[in-house]
Amino acid sequence: QKEVEQDPGPLSVPEGAIVSLNCTYSNSAFQYFMWYRQYSRKGPELLMYTYSSGNKEDGRFTAQVDKSSKYISLFIRDSQPSDSATYLCAMSVEGNEKLTFGTGTRLTIIP
Amino acid sequence: SAVISQKPSRDICQRGTSLTIQCQVDSQVTMMFWYRQQPGQSLTLIATANQGSEATYESGFVIDKFPISRPNLTFSTLTVSNMSPEDSSIYLCSVRGQNTEAFFGQGTRLTVV
């Protein structure tokens, strides 16, 4: 079993829809949770960063962490074609520099 | 956030040759990280490069295959040696922010033929 599981998709939704992307994990020591967006032929770009449980909102993006279920989510509201990319979750243990990544979900927003 | 410049952005290389990838950061950082991203797979950490000391390699990666230099606090190189088609991948340089979040360069897309 992988430490971090992420549905690879691909996921296609119409423009304006709400998108839900998810990761599950097995290591209860993870405390830092991140979401990255990666456009084709580009490096990953940090979207959201959350420490421990709870919600964090930034514009159209909301990150949720449920440590009791070992489950994190990224919601994208009013999705735009420019949101079409691969989304990667990542997490780490406090005091440890190593990040563990999911495999990424390829998202396409259909105009 | 840090600005990371990586080059080359892509290359096609013959098997048996070596390629050196350069990574330049716009600020001084203690540690720089090198990742590999193979198609359909998650990012895999190759090694951590510390200025003034030997790089620390992850399980499955060895210095003879992936030698790393770290001459100062803003620059690092990763060499992929004696390449085979299995080395075809995206190689990424990364640094950490204040809260362990990672920032990445644009990556080097390597194809070995």
Side-chain angles (χ1 to χ4, degrees), chain A residues 27-90:
Chain A
N27 187 349
S28 59
F30 285 140
Q31 289 277 43
Y32 295 93
F33 303 92
M34 288 142 273
W35 285 96
Y36 289 85
R37 177 174 63 195
Q38 187 174 22
Y39 291 116
S40 179
R41 303 183 185 281
K42 299 288 186 182
E45 168 195 10
L46 180 66
L47 268 182
M48 300 286 285
Y49 164 84
T50 310
Y51 174 72
S52 193
S53 283
N55 294 357
K56 187 172 184 178
E57 187 174 320
D58 184 0
R60 296 185 295 112
F61 299 90
T62 300
Q64 287 187 352
V65 175
D66 182 350
K67 292 193 70 181
S68 62
S69 301
K70 298 190 182 69
Y71 188 87
I72 69 171
S73 300
L74 177 71
F75 297 96
I76 307 174
R77 292 183 298 279
D78 187 24
S79 55
Q80 305 293 312
S82 59
D83 295 327
S84 298
T86 296
Y87 289 80
L88 300 129
C89 64

Side-chain angles (χ1 to χ4, degrees), chain A residues 10-21 39 60-61 76-85 87 106-111:
Chain A
L11 178 63
S12 296
V13 300
E15 183 176 357
I18 297 175
V19 177
S20 172
L21 303 167
Y39 291 116
R60 296 185 295 112
F61 299 90
I76 307 174
R77 292 183 298 279
D78 187 24
S79 55
Q80 305 293 312
S82 59
D83 295 327
S84 298
Y87 289 80
R106 177 176 287 185
L107 172 67
T108 300
I109 307 300
I110 304 167

Side-chain angles (χ1 to χ4, degrees), chain A residues 1-30:
Chain A
Q1 181 189 7
K2 292 181 181 178
E3 261 193 308
V4 178
E5 298 277 0
Q6 185 174 9
D7 187 340
L11 178 63
S12 296
V13 300
E15 183 176 357
I18 297 175
V19 177
S20 172
L21 303 167
N22 312 293
C23 288
T24 59
Y25 62 93
S26 58
N27 187 349
S28 59
F30 285 140

